[in-house]
Amino acid sequence: MIQLLEKNYLLPILFIGTALLNLATGYLLINQWGLVGAAIARALTLVVMAISITLWAHRYIKFKLNWSLILKVGAASVFMGMVIFKIPVGS
C-alpha cells in the first residue's frame, strides 16, 4: 500500500526498525525458549510491521477498520497458539 502512495522512503525506516526489534526480541527469547522463542520473536515482529504499515497508510488513505473483528481474530489466534503449544509432541 505504501508503494501505491509513492511513499517508498518509509520502507527502509520500517524494515530497519522491525529488524532491530526482531534482533532484540530474538536475543531475549531464544536464550530462554530456544526455537519457540525465535518463532515468537518473528511473529511479534510481523505483527508490529503489519500494524505500522496499516497506520502509515491510514494517514494518507482514509479507510475504516473493523476493530472488533480484528480483536476477535487476534484473540482466537492467541488462544489457538496457546492450545497448540500445550499439545505434547512425541518422538
Side-chain angles (χ1 to χ4, degrees):
M1 194 174 288
I2 290 175
Q3 293 90 350
L4 294 174
L5 297 171
E6 297 180 5
K7 304 287 184 188
N8 292 332
Y9 65 91
L10 297 173
L11 293 175
I13 297 168
L14 175 67
F15 293 150
I16 290 170
T18 54
L20 293 174
L21 175 66
N22 195 29
L23 286 172
T25 55
Y27 178 76
L28 294 172
L29 296 176
I30 291 171
N31 286 335
Q32 186 171 1
W33 290 338
L35 189 58
V36 173
I40 292 170
R42 183 65 180 147
L44 177 66
T45 302
L46 291 174
V47 168
V48 168
M49 184 182 296
I51 291 171
S52 299
I53 289 172
T54 302
L55 293 177
W56 273 346
H58 192 264
R59 290 178 58 192
Y60 301 105
I61 300 174
K62 298 301 178 196
F63 54 90
K64 290 188 72 146
L65 293 172
N66 188 346
W67 288 108
S68 64
L69 178 63
I70 292 170
L71 290 174
K72 287 177 190 175
V73 169
S77 299
V78 169
F79 178 73
M80 182 175 46
M82 290 173 22
V83 169
I84 290 173
F85 185 71
K86 294 295 183 182
I87 296 174
V89 178
S91 51

